[in-house]
Amino acid sequence: MPGPSPGLCRALLGLWAALGLGFLGLSAVAQEPFWADLQPRVALVERGGSLWLNCSTNCPRPERGGLETSLRRNGTQRGLRWLARQLVDIREPETQPVCFFRCARRTLQAQSSPSGSTLWIPTRSLSGPLVPRHVPLNPRVSKKLWLPFPERPDRVELVPLPAWQPVGENFTLSCRVPGAGPRGSLTLTLLRGAQELIRRSFAGEPPRARGAVLTATVLARREDHGANFSCRAELDLRPHGLGLFENSSAPRQLRTFALSPDRPRLAAPRLLEVGSERPVSCALDELFPASEAWVYLALGDQRLSPDITFEGDALMATATATASAEQEGASQLVCNVTLGGESRETRENVTIYSFPAPVLTLSEPTIPEGKVVTVTCSAGARVLVTLDGIPAVLPGQPTQLQLNATEDDDRRSFFCDATLGVDGETLSKNKSAELRVLYAPRLDDSDCPRSWTWPEGPEQTLRCEARGNPAPSVHCARPDSGAVLALGLLGPVTRALAGTYRCTAANVQGQAVKDVTLTVEYAPALDSVGCPEHITWLEGTEVSLSCVAHGVPPPSVSCVRSGEARVLEGLLHVVREHAGTYRCEATNARGSAAKNVAVTVEYGPSFEELSCPSNWTWVEGSGQLFSCEGDGKPEPSVECIGSEGTSEGMLLPLAPPDPSPRVPRISSELVPGIYVCNATNRHGSVVKTVAVSTESPPQMDESTCPSHQTWLEGTEAAALACAARGRPSPQVRCSREGVPRPQRLRVSREDAGTYRCLATNTHGTDARTVTVGVEYRPVVAELAASPPGGVRPGGNFTLTCRAEAWPPAQISWRAPPGAPNIGLSSNNSTLSVAGAMGSHGGEYECAATNAHGRHARRITVRVAGPWLWVAVGGAAGGAALLAAGAGLAFYVQSTACKKGEYNVQEAESSGEAVCLNGAGGGAGGSTAAAEGGTEAAGTAEAKAGGEVFAIQLTSA
């Protein structure tokens, strides 16, 4: 009979392997509970918004899973142990989603509920029936997922404030935000203007809670008058991805007040005459705000219209009281001040009376000089009159006075006094009258002086007044030219008005004549004709400095050099030290005038060694021009022309006398040699010989001193390769920045760092920074297992490999043959295994490689099974496992162990995951070292036939 086919053999071997893995899986299930979880359990979304639900499990290999919900779905994303589904256009605040996975022939289920309870999968005892653990009574009935819709704070209401609030008393602020929510995301703030009074957050409130109220008691202050109070609501949904929503109430203005307990102060006359007007006032202090107070002021039944003024917290109301004949007798003046609904009042008694004025008459108000006039004074009944101190015989009778009019009686006033007793007081009134006496003009020296002296410039009123009645007219004119003075008018005084004038005064009674002289004085003046601003002298000549000034009275003139006190007089023998500024001052009784005169002394050119050196060295690249300046007035022009050792007629570039940002560059082909410099101005010329030589400062670049240099560890120590160009030849020194480099015979990695090389000569320095890198062979510095000492079946372990190398080393691993489900980190420095099996036990090797060599270390991992597994397995189980292992090895070797790229997520549940570094190398692999031991670099290389594979991470 023919033997079984190769495919059947492979299937049988796979079945035995599956049986072994099943027993191993049941052992792991018996030790660890599995669950399904649904997130989020409470979410906050806007109406019509979207939400992602995430369903996950810790089952290592779930058969299938799902997420059921009645809401609209837009898309689904899946992984090995999770799936996510997007809910869109959410219109209902509640739903009942169900998350489930199939694991080990049992269903794991999670519901979205606020309690978030964990479900446990039932497990089978090794010697008994299935025993459920923490299984919900009805696992298919899910609880609701609460999806509260946020409500923005569209209405923020502040309770109205009192119309007036006394200062120093409390009032209540209350804010209400109906419907806004959820309340746990709401914050209310009571504000005085922009100042926060109280702020409250409602964090911790249940998601269904809506609306909020905030109340505060506030002490009224003066500064609160006119202040706006408001309430601000903030709904912060940013933690839920929805943003921050704010709103504020309409501001409400508070009016505070303070009213003194004292009565107003009323100031009023005790007596008031019929038809007369008298001021009355009412004042009150300690008012706030005083401008808001209302004042009532009345005399009897007559209400007055007061003018109210304020000064701080004080109020003053003033008015004019007018009494009528109907009010004659006793009356009352009332003042009432009202503020904030409270009033203060004061009353005063006033007596109203009638008192006609006396009558004063003249027989002739205007009379010629020398005639007689009669004056009469009279009044009503009960009134006693007095004329110029002469009383009447009895009350009610008149009194008279007669006189012969003279010039002295012109504009004489006569007084008639009348007295009357009212309410215990004596009242008086008077009347006056003026007598006019006609007489001819008089020109007195007091009113029209014979000599006038006025300063020029300010406006003056020219007066020549004459006495006389009627008032005479006065006319002043020059007898020679007929020029007239504008008398009585305000006008400027000029020197042209000076001279002698004849003044004539005339009226109907006659005329008077008088001669007057007008003198106009003015301050000195120095003009450019008599005293020029600039004067030029020539050195060696004789000159004098004089200035002529104009003024009345005639001024005196003196000239002094700036910084000196001696007045300059007489002839001077000119030297260049006489150049400078001189101040000439002219003085008279009306003032002084000063003028600065600039004196320039000119002289022929000359050369000084400091301003034009005989020897000059040009430093190449410095851009510095040769400076050769000649001394002279005016400033001479200087030109330097080549002679010996240079091309005939070559010009030497010179630095300008004044610094300029645009300086001509020196040609790099400047020829050294002898140059002749010539300085010339209009007073002569002078020459000087200059010798020119050239040099250059140090210079280093990449060609003479590379900025990056590399050494190899262990080679013979050498100095940095740096050189510099320059004249004279520069010296180059290099030193390490930071920690100094110790003296060594061989290169060490500690020699790596930054070095500074400095080139120096007499014209300066040049520096370069050199970075030195030291490369070295790799060394596996650390190879450790976590947890140490082995792992039980189904457990997790991690191997960490750290290498020291430059350039950085590439890390590779060699694993025991047939070890599945091995994961590597992105840089291969960490090897991890989840759910360890017996095939994971054995020797692991980590190798580090770079351009200078390779180094490897090995570590042994032990996977120790439970004692119950060994007891039950027995001999039969051992045989079955051996057969399954042989089949698995044949299957893995024939199908899975291939070079290539694998999807890590898919490989977690397939045999392809074991094809990691070292698979298939059992025949040619290296000998195992002690656990955690290190192998020498010479023996750590992989032997022939030991292929190294790796998994490349790719996206699913």
Side-chain angles (χ1 to χ4, degrees):
M1 175 182 286
S5 65
L8 179 60
C9 292
R10 293 175 182 173
L12 290 176
L13 289 175
L15 176 61
W16 281 108
L19 289 174
L21 292 175
F23 282 118
L24 184 61
L26 286 177
S27 174
V29 168
Q31 299 180 35
E32 181 177 358
F34 297 114
W35 43 257
D37 185 38
L38 179 63
Q39 293 293 339
R41 296 189 174 91
V42 176
L44 190 65
V45 296
E46 291 189 283
R47 188 180 300 275
S50 62
L51 174 69
W52 279 93
L53 290 181
N54 187 22
C55 176
S56 60
T57 180
N58 68 336
C59 178
R61 295 181 186 85
E63 300 174 12
R64 60 187 180 88
L67 176 60
E68 299 176 357
T69 176
S70 60
L71 299 180
R72 286 186 59 190
R73 303 181 293 275
N74 185 37
T76 303
Q77 297 183 4
R78 292 180 177 273
L80 177 63
R81 300 183 184 92
W82 62 273
L83 64 91
R85 182 157 291 165
Q86 186 183 28
L87 308 182
V88 298
D89 195 20
I90 300 174
R91 298 291 179 180
E92 299 297 331
E94 297 178 341
T95 186
Q96 299 179 1
V98 177
C99 165
F100 66 91
F101 287 92
R102 185 74 174 171
C103 181
R105 295 178 297 173
R106 291 293 182 268
T107 299
L108 304 177
Q109 179 176 319
Q111 304 87 26
S112 59
S113 63
S115 61
S117 60
T118 302
L119 301 181
W120 297 72
I121 187 170
T123 60
R124 179 183 294 275
S125 172
L126 293 177
S127 61
L130 292 174
V131 180
R133 296 184 181 179
H134 303 287
V135 178
L137 296 179
N138 189 0
R140 296 298 296 178
V141 178
S142 66
K143 296 185 180 180
K144 295 180 180 180
L145 170 62
W146 174 237
L147 300 173
F149 296 124
E151 295 294 338
R152 302 185 183 186
D154 294 331
R155 290 175 53 200
V156 182
E157 303 171 354
L158 185 66
V159 175
L161 303 177
W164 283 96
Q165 176 65 30
V167 173
E169 297 184 10
N170 291 327
F171 65 97
T172 301
L173 290 175
S174 181
C175 175
R176 177 174 175 267
V177 185
R183 188 187 301 158
S185 300
L186 194 62
T187 300
L188 297 186
T189 306
L190 290 175
L191 302 168
R192 179 196 289 116
Q195 176 191 7
E196 291 189 4
L197 296 178
I198 185 172
R199 180 183 180 92
R200 181 182 175 187
S201 174
F202 296 89
E205 294 281 344
R208 297 174 182 267
R210 292 291 191 274
V213 175
L214 179 60
T215 302
T217 300
V218 181
L219 181 66
R221 308 172 303 169
R222 283 194 172 201
E223 51 267 33
D224 293 335
H225 179 69
N228 287 325
F229 290 80
S230 61
C231 176
R232 183 175 68 234
E234 301 174 4
L235 184 64
D236 191 0
L237 302 181
R238 288 176 293 184
H240 306 284
L242 297 181
L244 174 65
F245 304 96
E246 297 179 298
N247 195 11
S248 298
S249 68
R252 296 189 182 275
Q253 190 179 69
L254 180 67
R255 302 172 71 191
T256 62
F257 77 98
L259 182 60
S260 170
D262 300 332
R263 295 190 305 166
R265 301 185 302 277
L266 184 59
R270 193 170 66 85
L271 304 176
L272 183 61
E273 185 179 3
V274 173
S276 65
E277 295 181 350
R278 295 290 299 277
V280 296
S281 65
C282 178
L284 183 61
D285 299 335
E286 300 181 17
L287 284 172
F288 175 80
S291 59
E292 300 283 344
W294 180 79
V295 179
Y296 172 79
L297 193 61
L299 176 61
D301 296 334
Q302 177 189 3
R303 182 169 180 174
L304 306 181
S305 299
D307 292 330
I308 303 175
T309 58
F310 307 96
E311 184 175 353
D313 292 344
L315 173 149
M316 172 69 74
T318 58
T320 300
T322 304
S324 62
E326 294 78 8
Q327 294 177 301
E328 189 170 356
S331 185
Q332 271 196 336
L333 185 66
V334 180
C335 177
N336 182 286
V337 179
T338 303
L339 178 61
E342 299 183 15
S343 299
R344 302 290 185 268
E345 183 176 282
T346 300
R347 295 175 177 266
E348 293 288 346
N349 293 325
V350 178
T351 299
I352 299 175
Y353 66 93
S354 179
F355 182 11
V359 178
L360 179 62
T361 60
L362 298 176
S363 59
E364 292 186 52
T366 302
I367 188 173
E369 185 178 15
K371 290 193 175 183
V372 177
V373 63
T374 301
V375 184
T376 304
C377 175
S378 62
R382 299 184 301 109
V383 178
L384 179 63
V385 298
T386 302
L387 177 61
D388 279 359
I390 301 174
V393 179
L394 295 173
Q397 292 184 357
T399 181
Q400 286 185 340
L401 178 65
Q402 289 185 342
L403 71 152
N404 189 13
T406 64
E407 174 190 349
D408 295 334
D409 294 325
D410 185 37
R411 297 184 180 276
R412 177 179 174 180
S413 294
F414 297 91
F415 293 91
C416 175
D417 294 323
T419 57
L420 175 66
V422 179
D423 197 15
E425 291 190 14
T426 299
L427 306 178
S428 64
K429 288 187 176 183
N430 56 67
K431 186 70 177 291
S432 64
E434 187 180 73
L435 176 63
R436 297 305 306 273
V437 178
L438 302 178
Y439 59 95
R442 274 86 163 169
L443 286 171
D444 299 331
D445 289 344
S446 59
D447 298 326
C448 187
R450 296 182 180 276
S451 178
W452 294 334
T453 300
W454 289 334
E456 183 182 35
E459 291 186 337
Q460 298 282 352
T461 301
L462 307 180
R463 298 187 181 278
C464 178
E465 298 179 353
R467 291 186 299 107
N469 194 15
S473 61
V474 180
H475 178 77
C476 296
R478 281 187 179 180
D480 52 355
S481 62
V484 179
L485 284 178
L487 299 176
L489 298 178
L490 182 64
V493 176
T494 63
R495 61 192 69 180
L497 294 177
T500 300
Y501 295 83
R502 174 161 292 177
C503 297
T504 302
N507 66 5
V508 295
Q509 301 295 321
Q511 70 175 11
V513 178
K514 189 175 186 179
D515 289 337
V516 297
T517 300
L518 174 60
T519 301
V520 178
E521 295 183 349
Y522 52 92
L526 292 169
D527 55 23
S528 298
V529 177
C531 191
E533 291 83 358
H534 295 89
I535 299 176
T536 300
W537 296 339
L538 181 61
E539 188 175 34
T541 61
E542 289 187 351
V543 296
S544 63
L545 179 61
S546 61
C547 280
V548 178
H550 305 283
V552 176
S556 60
V557 182
S558 61
C559 294
V560 178
R561 185 174 180 176
S562 297
E564 299 180 359
R566 183 175 62 87
V567 176
L568 194 63
E569 295 178 343
L571 290 177
L572 295 176
H573 184 75
V574 178
V575 295
R576 63 187 67 181
E577 287 76 13
H578 286 146
T581 301
Y582 293 80
R583 183 176 180 82
C584 295
E585 185 174 8
T587 307
N588 68 2
R590 285 298 171 187
S592 62
K595 188 174 187 179
N596 289 333
V597 178
V599 174
T600 302
V601 177
E602 294 188 353
Y603 48 91
S606 63
F607 281 119
E608 299 291 338
E609 185 65 21
L610 290 178
S611 59
C612 187
S614 302
N615 295 281
W616 179 61
T617 300
W618 171 59
V619 180
E620 183 180 355
S622 66
Q624 182 179 4
L625 299 176
F626 178 60
S627 176
C628 182
E629 298 178 5
D631 185 22
K633 285 286 184 177
E635 183 178 354
S637 61
V638 179
E639 184 179 58
C640 297
I641 302 176
S643 59
E644 300 178 17
T646 63
S647 300
E648 189 69 25
M650 175 180 289
L651 292 178
L652 178 66
L654 300 178
D658 296 326
S660 172
R662 308 184 68 179
V663 177
R665 299 178 57 86
I666 300 179
S667 173
S668 58
E669 300 178 356
L670 178 65
V671 178
I674 303 300
Y675 291 81
V676 176
C677 297
N678 186 6
T680 304
N681 69 2
R682 62 172 170 260
H683 300 298
S685 64
V686 67
V687 297
K688 184 173 185 178
T689 301
V690 177
V692 178
S693 60
T694 60
E695 292 184 356
S696 62
Q699 184 179 7
M700 293 190 295
D701 53 23
E702 191 68 23
S703 62
T704 62
C705 186
S707 59
H708 291 83
Q709 301 183 25
T710 302
W711 296 342
L712 180 62
E713 187 177 41
T715 60
E716 184 178 354
L720 288 174
C722 276
R725 295 185 293 270
R727 190 183 306 114
S729 180
Q731 292 183 349
V732 180
R733 295 181 179 179
C734 298
S735 60
R736 183 175 180 177
E737 294 185 351
V739 181
R741 178 188 177 190
Q743 296 294 330
R744 296 189 182 94
L745 297 178
R746 297 287 178 178
V747 174
S748 171
R749 66 188 67 181
E750 286 77 13
D751 294 333
T754 302
Y755 293 77
R756 180 177 176 83
C757 294
L758 189 67
T760 307
N761 69 3
T762 56
H763 296 297
T765 61
D766 190 17
R768 279 185 67 83
T769 300
V770 179
T771 302
V772 175
V774 178
E775 297 184 352
Y776 48 89
R777 293 168 54 86
V779 174
V780 178
E782 178 185 3
L783 180 60
S786 176
V791 63
R792 66 178 184 175
N796 302 334
F797 70 90
T798 301
L799 301 181
T800 303
C801 181
R802 182 177 62 83
E804 296 180 356
W806 192 260
Q810 300 293 324
I811 304 296
S812 62
W813 291 87
R814 187 194 305 275
N821 299 336
I822 293 179
L824 295 176
S825 63
S826 59
N827 60 354
N828 285 4
S829 63
T830 302
L831 182 148
S832 59
V833 173
M837 299 184 296
S839 58
H840 289 108
E843 184 180 77
Y844 291 79
E845 180 185 86
C846 171
T849 306
N850 72 359
H852 301 296
R854 181 179 183 277
H855 183 252
R857 290 181 64 179
R858 300 184 184 90
I859 189 170
T860 301
V861 175
R862 295 186 178 88
V863 180
W867 64 271
L868 187 58
W869 172 260
V870 177
V872 175
L881 290 177
L882 288 175
L888 178 62
F890 176 80
Y891 175 75
V892 168
Q893 184 174 7
S894 61
T895 63
C897 298
K898 300 292 188 297
K899 297 182 180 178
E901 300 180 358
Y902 300 89
N903 185 298
V904 175
Q905 186 175 12
E906 296 176 354
E908 287 184 356
S909 59
S910 69
E912 295 173 348
V914 302
C915 296
L916 298 172
N917 306 313
S926 59
T927 305
E931 180 179 354
T934 303
E935 203 172 57
T939 62
E941 305 292 341
K943 298 182 179 179
E947 296 188 64
V948 180
F949 299 157
I951 289 179
Q952 178 176 342
L953 300 179
T954 61
S955 60

